[in-house]
Amino acid sequence: MTTASPVSAPPAGPCAARLLTRAEDGERLHALLWRAGPGWRMISSAVLGGGIGARGWVLNAQVPHGYRRTDPDRHLAELAAGAGLDGPGVGLMTAADVSRHARAADGGAQALVTAGIDVRGWAAAPAEGTAVPAQPGTINIVVAVPVALTDAALVNAVATATEAKVQALLEAGHDCSGTPTDAVCVAARTPAPGELAHAFAGPRSLWGARLARAVHRAVSTAVTSG
């Protein structure tokens, strides 16, 4: 884990995620579970619990290479139930070994990243896109800030996290913007009654800058140690 001062990361973020182990189809597979609890809003591109809304947990599950199920949302829901989770949450998938994850924190912003980059490239590729069932993402980013963000700022935070990911990939010598199936989840606190949520999360805003540094460090560590 890499941590930047001066503010220590609160324990209630994704850096507190636990590693779970299961046997599936004869393989030993892992998952990372963050029980966020109440009081969090999340935005995610995940196949389970994607979009914007109140979410109480995040499960980042490893699946076998050559994953063939066409119902990843149902599969993730089964895994969540098996882990004792209930209520709305976010479920992510990856073929990477999530036990080899990276954690980073900066001024209260936290990031947890799993990365497998065997299949990578640029977002604006010349080939046409295809309508295929969702596949497990290979760079999964879970990032949280201990403050409230507006819906627009949550969207802004996803863009900031993605920019930080690409920066880390280029600095690590990878000629790509990511993999075709990367996923991201950004969590922010639910605003208290009368509280004004932060309206910006770009890389030069207070919390966007902290989020970007945490994601950059976590992705850098994940892609160089994976």
Side-chain angles (χ1 to χ4, degrees):
M1 172 178 172
T2 56
T3 306
S5 296
V7 182
S8 298
C15 286
R18 294 191 302 116
L19 184 67
L20 309 178
T21 303
R22 74 185 191 281
E24 186 175 311
D25 296 331
E27 292 192 48
R28 182 180 174 87
L29 302 171
H30 299 98
L32 287 166
L33 172 60
W34 172 34
R35 292 181 180 268
W40 290 91
R41 298 174 68 240
M42 302 186 191
I43 180 171
S44 178
S45 60
V47 293
L48 178 68
I52 298 178
R55 305 285 187 267
W57 49 266
V58 180
L59 182 69
N60 186 6
Q62 178 190 2
V63 296
H65 289 278
Y67 184 77
R68 291 291 180 267
R69 286 188 62 159
T70 58
D71 60 344
D73 54 341
R74 183 188 297 269
H75 188 191
L76 283 164
E78 293 167 356
L79 295 178
L85 301 171
D86 56 18
V90 171
L92 307 165
M93 280 186 170
T94 178
D97 182 357
V98 301
S99 68
R100 304 176 67 179
H101 57 275
R103 307 174 192 234
D106 190 294
Q110 295 186 32
L112 179 68
V113 173
T114 58
I117 54 174
D118 290 341
V119 181
R120 58 184 183 269
W122 292 100
E128 293 295 327
T130 56
V132 296
Q135 299 296 310
T138 49
I139 300 178
N140 284 343
I141 298 170
V142 180
V143 59
V145 294
V147 295
L149 299 178
T150 64
D151 284 359
L154 284 171
V155 176
N156 204 177
V158 170
T160 298
T162 303
E163 290 180 34
K165 175 195 73 173
V166 175
Q167 180 183 346
L169 288 169
L170 293 177
E171 290 176 354
H174 297 294
D175 189 20
C176 65
S177 58
T179 83
T181 49
D182 291 349
V184 62
C185 174
V186 176
R189 301 299 301 191
T190 302
E195 178 185 3
L196 290 178
H198 289 255
F200 304 101
R204 297 287 75 84
S205 68
L206 174 63
W207 287 103
R210 293 174 177 179
L211 176 153
R213 289 190 294 265
V215 170
H216 176 262
R217 292 179 186 132
V219 173
S220 296
T221 301
V223 300
T224 56
S225 62

